[in-house]
Every structure is written in C-alpha cells, then in structure tokens.
Amino acid sequence: MLERPRRNRASEAIRSMVRETRLDLANLIYPLFVVDGAGKEDSIGALPGISRFSEDKVLKEVEVCMKLGLRSFVLFPAVEEALKDKEATYSYSEENFYLRIISSIKREFPESCLVSDVAMDPYSSDGHDGLVENGKILNDETLDVLGKMAVAQAQSGIDIIGPSDMMDGRVQHIREELDDEDFQDVAIMSYCAKYASAYYGPFREALESAPKSGDKKTYQMDPANKWEALREAELDVAEGADFLMVKPALLYLDVIHLLKEKFELPIAAYNVSGEYAMLKAASANGWIDYDVAMPEMLLSIKRAGATSILTYFAKEYAQMLKEGRLA
Ligand code: PBG
C-alpha cells in the first residue's frame, strides 16, 4: 500500500496543519429579536437560549456579544398585533421601535455591523411578506413598501439591508431607492435562494408572524429546485446585490456550493430556527454530543461555501471559543 491517507490524520498537529476550512467569529451573524418597551427579556419556547429583548436589554446583549468577539447582528422585530395592518405601514413609521433600536445600537456600538430584515410579514395583518389582495400576493405594489422600509432602515443607521421577502425585482428597486436618498454605501444582502421551508416554524412562533391564510409557496422557492437558484442569483447580481444568501443553510448545502462556484459575490447562509431547534432538542434529550455537533454543523456550512453564517448558535460558539471548549 503506497497511499495511506491516515498518515495525514496521525496527530492533532498534522490534522490542524492540513485542515481545509476554519471557522472564524468574523463569519458569524447573530440574530436578535427585539420588542418595544423596557426591561423585557422573554424566552422563546421553540428557541431555547434565545430571547426577545427590549431596547435596554438588547444593548446589554450586544455588549456581551461584542466582548466575546461577535460584531455582526441581524435584527428582527416582534410587533404587537394592534400595530399590524394590510400595508405594513408601521414598518417605516417614525414611531417604529425597531428603527429606534437600530439607531441606539449603532450609537453605542459604531463598530458593530447590523443587518436588517426587509419583508412585510412582521408588520402585516395578513402575515405575508407581500400585499395580499383576494388571496394573491401582489408583487409590484409590494416593492413600494419594501423600498420605504429599506430607506427608513438606512436612515436609522443600518449597515446592510436584508430583503427576505422574495418578491421579483426587489433588489433593484431597493438599490435605486437607497441611491436616490444618497445611501449608496448601504449594502444589500439578498435572501436570494430562500425556500418555502417548514424549518422556519420556531421563528414564526418568536415573532407571531405566521401567515393568517395560505402559505408562502408563490414567492418562496420549491425545496426541490436547485437550478432555479442560479436564475435568482443571476438576477440579484444584475440588480446590485452585495451578498447572495441561501436559506435554510443545512438542508441546502448543495445550493450554497453551487452559488459559491458560479458567482463572485460573498455567499451568506441562514442556519434557520428549525435547524437550531432540532439540535437543541436532541441535545436536551442527551441524544447527541452538543459541544461537538454544533461546531460541526457550522463548519459544514462554511465548507460548502458560505462566508457569512446567520446562526442562533453564534453566541454559544463564541463562548465556547473563549472558554477553550472547542476541540
Ligand atoms: C421573514 C423571515 C423569515 C425568516 C427570516 N425572515 C420567516 C419566513 O419567511 O416565513 C426565518 C428565519 C428562521 O427560521 O430562523 N420574511
């Protein structure tokens, strides 16, 4: 036997030398759910370890994360039902607590990187990402709302706009609206290949944002389709996106890899709520070795080709790294 691959696995020194992929804290984006009010830090049943924070508490949370070396965050608002309407008008209202919280975080932590969510669902009384008329999701009319939302977020100091709605043409529309308002330096991380996935369940519980009727299959992608992701990516590149996101991450590693091979833009991947919940549930039952399984999961997403990983595991990963608990 001339070839013995095991020789390159003989010691940790050798394994570490030949290791092809390394995960860095700089790759991770930590999702934060925010609510209006003060003194709130409400846990979320299906997302153990994750909370909905009011402004005062989220500032503390960001501080803790920054000390751990995490600098990037993606923010989602949990909006009271009474403030929701068909046109999602609260999304760009001056009263919107989400916009206020973005400004406060940027004021206190200018070196942080904040990613927004642009979609109507947290603000929509229909629970859809677009305007609903007679059971149909209107595309072009929705773009106007998304444009206003993006500009309002840019005004509040966001670094990266994250359209998660999957309407056609929204990247270009948002880019033009931002540029018209002199926000040419605000980037767009497009949820490019976003699938109609059951794995968003815990997230919708966190925001109480599930559709009131119907599903999201006329705008989010069919889980069976890979080549269609190329079409979405080509359009987003042409429309001015700065990042291409694949979501969910773990169930769509092939799509991450495909986009990485074909496009020059950085690839982001969203390790979604259901992927987090599965691992947490298995580890709570003692069915899996969490400390090994969790980093393995994040590494797989990076190995597939993503450099920005949106993950609820980010803070724990940073803690484990700090405490020397990572193998
Ligand atoms: C809203 C949005 C969703 C997620 C991120 N932005 C839910 C959805 O599209 O229904 C899901 C994130 C997760 O599950 O962690 N447009």
Side-chain angles (χ1 to χ4, degrees), residues 68-184:
L68 287 169
L70 279 179
R71 270 189 303 201
S72 299
F73 305 90
V74 56
L75 297 153
F76 298 98
V79 180
E80 264 175 63
E81 200 61 36
L83 293 169
K84 299 183 183 180
D85 58 25
K86 283 191 81 64
E87 294 85 25
T89 50
Y90 185 70
S91 64
Y92 50 86
S93 148
E94 281 181 12
E95 313 282 290
N96 186 345
F97 71 90
Y98 178 71
L99 302 173
R100 193 183 66 232
I101 290 177
I102 291 171
S103 302
S104 318
I105 300 176
K106 278 314 283 189
R107 200 178 320 116
E108 293 224 12
F109 306 99
E111 67 285 26
S112 65
C113 170
L114 301 186
V115 185
S116 72
D117 184 49
V118 172
M120 288 177 61
D121 56 337
Y123 306 98
S124 153
S125 47
D126 292 306
H128 273 288
D129 295 29
L131 280 164
V132 184
E133 196 179 270
N134 302 324
K136 280 210 161 133
I137 313 299
L138 305 181
N139 193 85
D140 299 15
E141 293 79 351
T142 298
L143 299 184
D144 287 333
V145 182
L146 301 177
K148 286 183 193 158
M149 211 186 292
V151 168
Q153 292 171 354
Q155 282 162 345
S156 67
I158 203 83
D159 299 286
I160 301 177
I161 299 281
S164 69
D165 55 284
M166 290 301 278
M167 296 300 120
D168 292 335
R170 92 273 208 210
V171 172
Q172 179 169 348
H173 183 79
I174 290 170
R175 185 70 270 157
E176 285 171 358
E177 295 288 303
L178 290 173
D179 290 358
D180 279 353
E181 301 291 327
D182 283 335
F183 290 117
Q184 47 278 83

Side-chain angles (χ1 to χ4, degrees), residues 76 117 119 121 129 164 194 199-200 203-204 216 220 247 270 272-273 312:
F76 298 98
D117 184 49
D121 56 337
D129 295 29
S164 69
K194 176 171 177 179
Y199 290 82
Y200 308 151
F203 175 96
R204 292 180 190 167
K216 299 193 173 186
Q220 298 181 348
K247 176 181 174 185
Y270 201 138
V272 298
S273 56
Y312 302 95

Side-chain angles (χ1 to χ4, degrees), residues 17-31:
M17 184 197 296
V18 301
R19 191 158 292 143
E20 297 171 28
T21 310
R22 284 197 159 78
L23 190 67
D24 200 295
L25 283 189
N27 297 124
L28 305 182
I29 305 179
Y30 190 41

Side-chain angles (χ1 to χ4, degrees), residues 185-256:
D185 295 334
V186 174
I188 299 179
M189 179 181 282
S190 173
Y191 287 59
C192 166
K194 176 171 177 179
Y195 289 87
S197 172
Y199 290 82
Y200 308 151
F203 175 96
R204 292 180 190 167
E205 179 195 315
L207 298 190
E208 292 174 20
S209 64
K212 302 276 161 53
S213 68
D215 54 43
K216 299 193 173 186
K217 290 182 186 166
T218 68
Y219 46 106
Q220 298 181 348
M221 285 175 57
D222 183 337
N225 295 357
K226 179 168 75 166
W227 303 117
E228 193 183 344
L230 287 180
R231 186 177 184 204
E232 286 286 356
E234 272 158 20
L235 288 168
D236 285 357
V237 170
E239 291 180 28
D242 301 284
F243 295 80
L244 300 175
M245 192 196 297
V246 175
K247 176 181 174 185
L250 206 55
L251 282 89
Y252 298 86
L253 293 177
D254 54 336
V255 181
I256 295 174

